[in-house]
Amino acid sequence: MNALFARHALLPDGWRHDVLLEWDIHGDLTRVAAGAQAPLKVARVNYVLPGMVNLHSHAFQRALGGLTERAGDDGEKDSFWTWRDLMYRFAARITPQQIEAIAAQLFAECLRHGYTSLCEFHYLQRDVDGRSYARPAETAERVAAAGQAAGIGLTLLPVLYSHAGFGEQPLKPEQARFRTNVDDVLGIVEALGALRSGQLEVGAAPHSLRAATLGQIRTLAEALPAGRPLHIHIAEQQAEVRQCLDALKRRPVQYLLDELGIDARWCLVHATHLDDDEVARLGRSGAVAGLCPTTEANLGDGLFPLAPFIAAGGRFGIGSDSHVSQSPVEELRWLEYGQRLQHQHRNVAVTRGQRNVGDYLWQAALRGGAQAAGRRVGALEAGKRADLIVLDGTHPNLDGVRDDEVLGRLVFCGNDNLVRDVLCGGHWVVQGGRHVAQDAIAQRYRQAVRELREV
Ligand code: NGQ
Ligand code: ZN
């Protein structure tokens, strides 16, 4: 039977008791009733949360994680830009089959840690010589296949990538695999349309103001079917802000807000460097800030102004971006800890109505993530996808805790993965802490990594 009985479940308006959840064969929740009787033969569990949305991913970078942590010898300080050179070198030789194997491993890991949706910001779209594949959507289709193998919900975002920097600088040779114009992207969006389902949506993503012009971004946004999400990297590094001021006479987020009618369709990824006016305007815009705390820390980006952004009514979600972490717990923990370290006080991510940091972070990241994904996810309610995680109620950290303590324990205490079972789109994809296809997926991943190391 497609049902589960949770003694405690996090519903949109907070924790509820004795919740009966039912879903249909399409993977949609059909009923979520609190204060219910447990029917015979329906499994009973202790703590259930909606699965988290991972709103920013470059899946292939999973295989590079942890391998760029050695300082260069040439006296130049390592930075985002020196990391990017290493990442380009890695991206130069990877094949579609390897992309699929790496993505499947990543997606299984994400599911095991409680992500049930992921937005793939997909720019590795040409072959190793910079030519279009016979099927221009080849690599995006490989990511979709990996999503299906792992059983995660996806939003595919084919990327518009035409320039190396502000002022329409020509692409560098090492960026040849990324090259697309607006028509290329729309062609890939169209080809991927055949894959749209309850588990998969298709949007688009101008890579950044460095890689796409305003005219291109406008054309793409207008041509994309209504309601599809649009994502863009923005204001991640100080150097980018300076270049934007030089070239366009405005700060990156200011420029987007002035020129593009940024609204709820948009996800602004990173948006790290904002002035007060940008914080207020972005907060009012309805757009989602796509925060990726572990990658932003790893790359030395800076800290997002979270408290004023929340106060301005801003929406945000979390992403694992370069995949130095595959855990929403770690993203949310570092999001809050960055603020504590910076401002030297505690319990920053709260509102007047929600004083509980863990509850606020989890729910806010769900709302923002769902919006950025453009899919019916992020809440346990009828009509949404049957995406949920069952926590290990026998773990000492959860033993006997009150409802209002669960997310504090999950997000801020310890390193064990408390995710026991995961249901995604109505299928149990993680059981007892193991992904159901873990071994086969890991074997293909190991093979891909071995091949890449041999090149
Ligand atoms: C990316 N990653 O596209 O993978 C970027 C680096 C760039 C992050 N921004 C490349 N974290 O921004 O030019
Ligand atoms: Zn990114």
Side-chain angles (χ1 to χ4, degrees):
M1 188 177 179
N2 295 329
L4 183 70
F5 185 83
R7 292 188 191 87
H8 312 260
L10 185 66
L11 303 192
D13 51 355
W15 285 97
R16 292 290 174 268
H17 294 167
D18 298 333
V19 179
L20 179 63
L21 301 123
E22 295 175 342
W23 56 94
D24 64 18
I25 53 162
H26 309 293
D28 293 325
L29 287 167
T30 50
R31 194 159 93 96
V32 179
Q37 296 286 334
L40 288 172
K41 293 189 184 163
V42 169
R44 298 175 199 204
V45 296
N46 262 338
Y47 300 107
V48 168
L49 299 173
M52 185 49 71
V53 181
N54 186 341
L55 59 57
H56 191 66
S57 161
H58 309 290
F60 75 90
Q61 291 177 15
R62 165 65 184 86
L64 192 61
L67 301 182
T68 58
E69 310 302 312
R70 184 193 146 81
D73 301 320
D74 54 8
E76 185 194 1
K77 263 210 187 100
D78 286 331
S79 68
F80 174 92
W81 309 101
T82 58
W83 168 83
R84 195 175 73 155
D85 288 339
L86 299 173
M87 186 271 283
Y88 283 171
R89 229 184 284 165
F90 178 72
R93 45 213 168 89
I94 190 163
T95 68
Q97 201 179 352
Q98 290 160 348
I99 290 175
E100 183 173 340
I102 295 166
Q105 172 72 12
L106 168 72
F107 297 162
E109 291 166 345
C110 283
L111 284 163
R112 274 203 301 108
H113 288 88
Y115 290 117
T116 46
S117 297
L118 178 142
C119 304
E120 179 65 13
F121 196 109
H122 182 71
Y123 61 87
L124 198 51
Q125 306 197 86
R126 289 178 177 268
D127 73 11
V128 290
D129 299 315
R131 286 187 297 254
S132 176
Y133 287 101
R135 302 171 64 80
E138 167 82 42
T139 59
E141 288 167 348
R142 296 300 189 127
V143 174
Q148 223 175 12
I152 201 167
L154 284 180
T155 301
L156 292 177
L157 303 160
V159 169
L160 170 62
Y161 201 123
S162 302
H163 305 289
F166 291 99
E168 304 183 34
Q169 292 167 36
L171 291 176
K172 300 179 194 161
E174 58 269 33
Q175 296 168 321
R177 294 196 72 180
F178 317 152
R179 179 166 58 88
T180 52
N181 60 28
V182 174
D183 286 339
D184 296 331
V185 175
L186 291 172
I188 294 169
V189 167
E190 168 121 19
L192 295 174
L195 302 176
R196 291 177 69 225
S197 71
Q199 285 296 84
L200 191 145
E201 181 52 291
V202 181
H207 180 274
S208 54
L209 285 175
R210 291 175 271 121
T213 65
L214 180 64
Q216 287 182 302
I217 300 172
R218 278 204 184 117
T219 309
L220 179 63
E222 278 163 21
L224 194 69
R228 305 284 192 90
L230 282 155
H231 292 213
I232 185 169
H233 290 125
I234 196 83
E236 183 179 5
Q237 282 278 316
Q238 302 272 20
E240 179 187 349
V241 176
R242 283 194 298 273
Q243 291 159 9
C244 189
L245 277 165
D246 281 349
L248 302 171
K249 310 300 167 213
R250 275 168 288 174
R251 301 170 55 83
V253 170
Q254 177 187 27
Y255 184 77
L256 276 189
L257 289 163
D258 287 350
E259 299 295 338
L260 270 172
I262 293 297
D263 59 17
R265 233 183 149 188
W266 282 90
C267 175
L268 273 53
V269 181
H270 306 302
T272 311
H273 300 288
L274 302 177
D275 68 16
D276 294 348
D277 190 52
E278 290 173 312
V279 168
R281 291 177 66 196
L282 184 58
R284 281 197 303 271
S285 71
V288 173
L291 309 178
C292 308
T294 61
T295 294
E296 289 156 9
N298 187 276
L299 299 181
D301 289 340
L303 288 165
F304 178 81
L306 186 66
F309 186 70
I310 291 171
R315 305 176 187 181
F316 65 88
I318 51 163
S320 63
D321 190 351
S322 68
H323 310 301
V324 285
S325 168
Q326 295 86 37
S327 161
V329 165
E330 202 176 4
E331 299 305 335
L332 294 175
R333 190 179 286 183
W334 275 103
L335 180 58
E336 170 70 19
Y337 279 176
Q339 305 296 313
R340 294 189 190 185
L341 288 163
Q342 187 178 30
H343 301 295
Q344 300 170 33
H345 60 87
R346 305 190 67 250
N347 299 333
V348 177
V350 291
T351 60
R352 202 160 293 174
Q354 179 54 272
R355 311 303 291 166
N356 224 325
V357 183
D359 289 65
Y360 175 71
L361 284 171
W362 197 271
Q363 295 275 41
L366 281 174
R367 285 190 297 271
Q371 180 179 317
R375 297 178 52 245
R376 290 178 287 108
V377 295
L380 298 177
E381 61 189 13
K384 295 282 188 340
R385 299 296 288 163
D387 290 356
L388 59 84
I389 66 192
V390 178
L391 300 179
D392 177 5
T394 66
H395 191 282
N397 282 359
L398 295 179
D399 190 41
V401 296
R402 295 194 315 260
D403 290 348
D404 65 348
E405 297 168 334
V406 173
L407 280 156
R409 276 285 167 84
L410 178 70
V411 177
F412 293 105
C413 183
N415 302 97
D416 290 346
N417 180 9
L418 300 187
V419 175
R420 193 190 73 187
D421 309 306
V422 179
L423 182 82
C424 188
H427 294 282
W428 289 107
V429 290
V430 173
Q431 289 182 315
R434 286 184 61 81
H435 187 276
V436 293
Q438 184 162 318
D439 294 337
I441 286 172
Q443 196 181 338
R444 290 195 289 272
Y445 174 77
R446 279 194 290 268
Q447 175 64 25
V449 170
R450 259 199 302 273
E451 290 165 8
L452 280 162
R453 292 209 152 210
E454 276 161 16
V455 187

